[in-house]
């Protein structure tokens, strides 16, 4: 079972790394806009997912690693939001006109709130007993936010969904994002190993 788990994790991170490299290469255009999809992908599929992975581990530093990675993701997302906001302003385009933008900004607000509230309510420096009162809500809102972030990412590439009908390779970027998101959800809800000494952590 342990060997299967190692193979599973290696495959997951190989898939994640491949997606981050591919999506960054695809998004690179030499424009200001490129930083929006690139940073969002690295924040969500990179830092956020790695932070979730840390929580699924056992050990004394998993909570602190989780908090640090989510904080990094928060900064990346806020800058990516700044990029798309200023990019639309530069071209005189309206804001919040699609499901991608509505779900995305909702997820961003929830994520920032989750990070700030989590810092005070779920800080690793607190004892397990002190964190226990907030744990249930932190997990519920965190899971909801993570799913919304993934949905927003897929919707961001939705315009490429039917590109294969025209033999357009842009379909691959939508397929990659959808596959990565579905696999992330399946991985996220998979059970994590719990060492006896860590059950109350």
């Amino acid at each position: 079972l342990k060997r299967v788990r190692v193979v599973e994790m290696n495959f997951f991170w190989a898939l994640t790394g491949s997606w981050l490299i591919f999506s960054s290469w695809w998004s690179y255009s030499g424009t200001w806009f490129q930083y929006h999809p690139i940073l969002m992908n690295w924040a969500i599929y990179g830092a956020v997912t790695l932070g979730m992975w840390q929580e699924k581990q056992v050990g004394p530093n998993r909570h602190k690693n989780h908090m640090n990675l989510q904080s990094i993701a928060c900064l990346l997302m806020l800058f990516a939001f700044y990029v798309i906001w200023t990019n639309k302003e530069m071209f005189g385009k309206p804001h919040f006109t699609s499901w991608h933008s509505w779900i995305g900004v909702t997820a961003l607000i929830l994520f920032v709130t989750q990070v700030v509230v989590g810092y005070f309510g779920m800080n690793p420096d607190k004892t397990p007993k002190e964190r226990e009162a907030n744990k249930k809500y932190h997990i519920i809102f965190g899971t909801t936010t993570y799913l919304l972030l993934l949905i927003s990412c897929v919707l961001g590439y939705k315009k490429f969904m039917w590109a294969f009908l025209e033999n357009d390779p842009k379909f691959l970027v939508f397929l990659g994002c959808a596959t990565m998101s579905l696999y992330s959800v399946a991985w996220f809800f998979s059970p994590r190993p719990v060492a006896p000494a860590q059950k109350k952590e």
Side-chain angles (χ1 to χ4, degrees):
L1 181 61
K2 184 177 181 181
R3 183 177 297 178
V4 171
R5 186 75 181 178
V6 171
V7 172
E8 177 192 350
M9 291 310 304
N10 288 338
F11 176 77
F12 177 75
W13 288 117
L15 184 66
T16 300
S18 298
W19 166 247
L20 291 175
I21 293 172
F22 173 71
S23 62
S24 298
W25 169 79
W26 186 275
S27 301
Y28 182 78
S29 60
T31 64
W32 177 237
F33 170 78
Q34 71 183 6
Y35 296 106
H36 176 71
I38 290 175
L39 292 177
M40 280 298 187
N41 274 311
W42 279 91
I44 297 168
Y45 296 104
V48 173
T49 302
L50 183 56
M52 297 289 191
W53 179 76
Q54 285 293 322
E55 273 298 311
K56 293 168 76 71
Q57 304 309 298
V58 294
N61 296 319
R62 64 189 182 95
H63 294 310
K64 186 164 291 185
N65 292 337
H66 172 77
M67 182 183 72
N68 291 337
L69 285 163
Q70 303 303 61
S71 298
I72 291 172
C74 186
L75 294 175
L76 290 175
M77 285 188 215
L78 287 173
F79 189 76
F81 178 76
Y82 170 75
V83 169
I84 193 62
W85 181 276
T86 53
N87 190 75
K88 285 182 176 290
E89 287 291 310
M90 284 191 290
F91 291 97
K93 294 183 178 180
H95 299 282
F96 311 123
T97 59
S98 65
W99 281 105
H100 168 64
S101 60
W102 298 328
I103 294 177
V105 75
T106 299
L108 177 62
I109 292 171
L110 286 174
F111 190 80
V112 172
T113 302
Q114 180 82 343
V115 169
V116 173
V117 174
Y119 178 80
F120 293 101
M122 297 293 292
N123 196 295
D125 293 332
K126 291 179 176 287
T127 64
K129 186 176 180 180
E130 290 175 317
R131 295 197 303 266
E132 189 63 33
N134 304 307
K135 184 177 179 180
K136 177 182 177 181
Y137 302 103
H138 187 69
I139 292 175
I140 291 174
F141 283 107
T143 301
T144 302
T145 302
Y146 186 55
L147 293 176
L148 287 176
L149 287 171
L150 294 176
I151 291 171
S152 178
C153 283
V154 173
L155 290 175
Y157 292 110
K158 183 173 67 69
K159 61 183 177 181
F160 302 134
M161 186 188 305
W162 305 112
F164 72 95
L165 294 176
E166 301 174 359
N167 294 320
D168 190 334
K170 289 179 181 177
F171 169 72
L172 294 175
V173 75
F174 170 78
L175 181 63
C177 184
T179 301
M180 191 67 240
S181 297
L182 289 173
Y183 195 81
S184 296
V185 170
W187 167 85
F188 177 75
F189 286 104
S190 65
R192 71 176 177 87
V194 181
Q198 303 294 336
K199 284 185 177 178
K200 294 184 178 180
E201 191 179 349

